[in-house]
Amino acid sequence: MKNALILFSILFLFSARANGEMKKNHFIHHNINVNIDVAHSIIQVDNSIDLSYFNEAESEQLHFYLNKNLVIDSCNMKLVEIAQEGDERAWKKYLVSDKIKDVNSKLFIRYHGIVADQKEMLNAPPKHGASKETSGIVFEKGIYLSGTTAWVPRFEKRSLVTFEISATVDSDWNVVAQGKEISNEITDNKRCVVYKSDNPTNQIYLLGNKWTEYSTKSGDVLVQAYLINPDEKLANKYLEATAKYLQMYEKLIGKYPYSKFALVENFWE
């Protein structure tokens, strides 16, 4: 294997699973529209955030963090940036100074900026023993956005979220996130992909590349492999092994609780 594989199952297993005692509004819900400009490492995001779990009776103030390179263009509520110690911090901290008036309150926020942490290093030729990582990046080798990127607001008081993402990127690229793929369409040389996740998770991932996608079914679970270089034989090995292990572990620990298990090839060693 030339490249490491991100195992989306691991991301899912670290996500919290809703149980019968949890109500839907116990989680923050993000409805995200993101346009990705790969050539310039820029993302433009419109995010509608359901604040129904917060209300003015709660004593603590509502704070969130956002990547320091992202500029807020507009917001329907008053935001105050909170000073933090140290200039090296990767996130900015904001206070929502408006009170949450009712259970139907939503925070509408638009922002944009460059996401290119460690771009120069990741573009350099690989060196033996060298460790390469990034908190988040959009560039010609791939897209990697995670909770550490803080590409969507991360609230202090509630760590679990559900979401729907509509992501637009160049037509020869594809993107993948947790949850179920609702649609994947190409119009005017742009690809628009929609993912929805009703299972609460502690961070939202969005990955992108010029993959070839392979898939099969293991019972009700969609098993996928996204490879940068087409290789049907290798993909089938991954898919067969994944289905085998899913069936084995279901017998040991119970039914796999998610709609898919995706293996996603990465752009760094």
Side-chain angles (χ1 to χ4, degrees):
M1 291 172 55
K2 291 184 177 180
N3 297 297
L5 287 169
I6 294 178
L7 302 183
F8 252 54
S9 59
I10 294 176
L11 307 183
F12 293 155
L13 291 174
F14 277 101
S15 303
R17 182 183 177 186
N19 58 49
E21 297 178 356
M22 289 184 172
K23 296 180 180 180
K24 186 175 181 179
N25 66 354
H26 279 199
F27 314 108
I28 296 172
H29 182 79
H30 294 260
N31 197 317
I32 302 163
N33 285 284
V34 54
N35 284 281
I36 305 170
D37 182 346
V38 175
H40 299 97
S41 300
I42 293 174
I43 63 171
Q44 171 74 58
V45 182
D46 288 290
N47 193 349
S48 171
I49 304 168
D50 183 359
L51 300 179
S52 59
Y53 195 70
F54 299 101
N55 59 66
E56 58 185 349
E58 297 194 38
S59 58
E60 294 182 39
Q61 293 179 311
L62 185 58
H63 294 92
F64 68 83
Y65 295 90
L66 195 65
N67 189 294
K68 68 178 182 180
N69 295 318
L70 296 176
V71 177
I72 296 177
D73 300 311
S74 62
C75 185
N76 68 320
M77 295 185 179
K78 185 177 179 180
L79 302 179
V80 178
E81 185 177 343
I82 305 300
Q84 302 180 85
E85 295 182 2
D87 295 333
E88 74 284 352
R89 291 182 179 270
W91 302 347
K92 287 182 179 179
K93 183 178 181 179
Y94 294 91
L95 165 69
V96 180
S97 60
D98 288 356
K99 286 189 175 182
I100 310 304
K101 297 179 180 180
D102 57 58
V103 295
N104 295 315
S105 293
K106 294 183 183 294
L107 176 67
F108 297 98
I109 183 170
R110 169 177 288 185
Y111 51 91
H112 77 280
I114 294 174
V115 180
D117 180 48
Q118 305 292 347
K119 182 176 180 178
E120 184 176 341
M121 181 186 69
L122 288 167
N123 265 326
K127 294 181 180 180
H128 179 69
S131 176
K132 293 185 175 184
E133 59 183 32
T134 176
S135 64
I137 192 167
V138 174
F139 73 147
E140 58 271 19
K141 289 185 178 180
I143 298 165
Y144 176 78
L145 304 174
S146 71
T148 305
T149 313
W151 70 284
V152 295
R154 291 177 63 90
F155 288 84
E156 281 189 333
K157 293 185 64 178
R158 301 289 180 265
S159 61
L160 298 179
V161 301
T162 56
F163 63 86
E164 183 169 334
I165 296 176
S166 176
T168 302
V169 70
D170 292 338
S171 60
D172 55 343
W173 284 66
N174 199 359
V175 294
V176 62
Q178 302 115 298
K180 182 179 180 180
E181 183 180 276
I182 304 300
S183 62
N184 192 324
E185 299 177 348
I186 295 176
T187 305
D188 296 330
N189 294 320
K190 292 290 183 179
R191 182 186 300 273
C192 181
V193 190
V194 177
Y195 280 93
K196 183 177 182 180
S197 176
D198 293 324
N199 287 313
T201 179
N202 60 7
Q203 54 186 311
I204 301 174
Y205 289 86
L206 186 65
L207 309 181
N209 217 307
K210 298 178 181 180
W211 295 301
T212 299
E213 178 186 348
Y214 303 88
S215 64
T216 188
K217 295 279 285 190
S218 176
D220 295 330
V221 179
L222 177 64
V223 180
Q224 298 169 297
Y226 292 83
L227 300 184
I228 294 174
N229 296 311
D231 191 330
E232 186 174 2
K233 185 177 180 180
L234 178 62
N236 286 335
K237 287 183 179 180
Y238 286 137
L239 297 177
E240 291 169 6
T242 298
K244 177 182 176 182
Y245 279 107
L246 280 174
Q247 294 165 12
M248 181 183 76
Y249 281 108
E250 282 189 330
K251 293 178 181 178
L252 295 173
I253 60 177
K255 183 174 175 60
Y256 183 71
Y258 305 101
S259 61
K260 72 181 181 190
F261 188 119
L263 300 98
V264 184
E265 189 172 16
N266 211 333
F267 52 79
W268 71 82
E269 294 291 336

